[in-house]
Amino acid sequence: MAFRPSLSFQALFRLPKRPVRTSSTALQPRFPQARFASQHPFPHGTPRGRPQYNRFSRSQSIKYLWQTNMAFRYGAGAVGTGFVGFVGYNIETVPASGRRRFNWVSPEYEQQMGQQRYRQIIQEYQGEFLPEWHIASRMVQRVLKRLISANGIENQDWEVHVIDDPSQMNAFVIPGGKVFVFSGLLPICDGDDGLAAVLGHEIAHNVAHHSAENYSRLSLAIPIAYLASFIYDISGNLTFMIMDYAYNKPGSRKQESEADFIGLMMMAQSCYNPEAALGLWQRMEKAGGSAVPQFMSTHPSNYNRIAKIQQWLPQAQEKRAASECGGTIQYADEFKKAFQSREEDFW
């Protein structure tokens, strides 16, 4: 005998009949239209399409794991201990200034990076280099040779390249002793003493291994920024911007001030007049025009640079007097002043 469901069973599983749409009004919702509300019965989406409630944020989830999972605590503790140990092991002191810093990059690896950068620059400015016999190239070579010999840094393969670009007032030194000077900087230098201030500053970056420090700082900042972005569930751009203004730019400004100090001592040791550095940055401030605020820049403001150099000048003068050329400095300065006064009287 076949099974026949009872009427109540059929009524229980009977599907409702689809309503017949007789006019376009049947397509309109059967809800009164509010005056200032959305016409949709569910303005923020249907109940089925509502966002799911998230019980824990990512940081709360990590906190919950820390409180309840012993293996997670042991793992996080091991990673944190290893990180602190790695940073502490690679803390060193810059000999010339006594500043403490984090640096794990070896001088050999720094030079390898410098060679790669050197090839890129040579290719970028191909055809724009002044020849070695040019008066500008000879001037840079003369000042550089004196700085190198007086400070005992002949252990690198120093090379000079002057880029013929009068619009650029810049110079830089790549790890490995590759010196680049734009021709537009030479009029601002106003002679060998001013150029010695520039080259001393750039050589100081090389001697203090600032390129290696920058690479080490970035290798530390990038993982921290990614980790903060993951834990607090915020934009990676925001964390990188915070790290840039709170960590990278202040570190770069410290390097620039350190290079100013070391370069000033180097030019004094080389019998150049350290007061020329003061005049150089005063002329740079006039030529530079308006600048961004210091906290937004990788370099100190010219005003702060001038103030620092004024503080360091007595120490630089003492170093100059104690150098091998100390006995002839007074006669040379008197001769220069006398020659300038005779020249002014002549004109």
Side-chain angles (χ1 to χ4, degrees), residues 214-229 236 239-240 243 247-248:
N214 290 336
Y215 192 86
S216 300
R217 184 169 61 236
L218 286 177
S219 68
L220 195 66
I222 292 174
I224 292 176
Y226 274 121
L227 183 62
S229 177
T239 56
F240 275 102
M243 289 295 295
Y247 181 61
N248 291 331

Side-chain angles (χ1 to χ4, degrees), residues 303-338:
Y303 176 82
N304 289 335
R305 268 184 153 159
I306 292 170
K308 285 288 187 181
I309 291 174
Q310 287 175 336
Q311 294 177 9
W312 298 329
L313 269 179
Q315 185 178 352
Q317 295 286 14
E318 291 179 4
K319 192 172 186 64
R320 186 189 184 201
S323 64
E324 294 181 357
C325 57
T328 61
I329 289 174
Q330 182 179 359
Y331 299 104
D333 289 343
E334 291 178 356
F335 176 79
K336 185 183 293 184
K337 291 179 182 178

Side-chain angles (χ1 to χ4, degrees), residues 77-92:
V79 172
T81 303
F83 177 78
V84 173
F86 173 74
V87 173
Y89 180 77
N90 290 285
I91 295 295
E92 63 181 18

Side-chain angles (χ1 to χ4, degrees), residues 139-149 158-160 173 177 179 195 199 203 272:
M139 176 183 180
V140 177
Q141 290 172 0
R142 179 177 64 250
V143 175
L144 180 67
K145 184 178 180 180
R146 184 165 156 183
L147 287 169
I148 291 171
S149 60
W158 294 97
E159 294 183 19
V160 171
V173 177
V179 181
L195 181 59
L199 293 181
I203 293 173
Y272 289 108

Side-chain angles (χ1 to χ4, degrees), residues 198-209:
V198 173
L199 293 181
H201 172 91
E202 299 302 334
I203 293 173
H205 281 304
N206 202 31
V207 171
H209 300 286

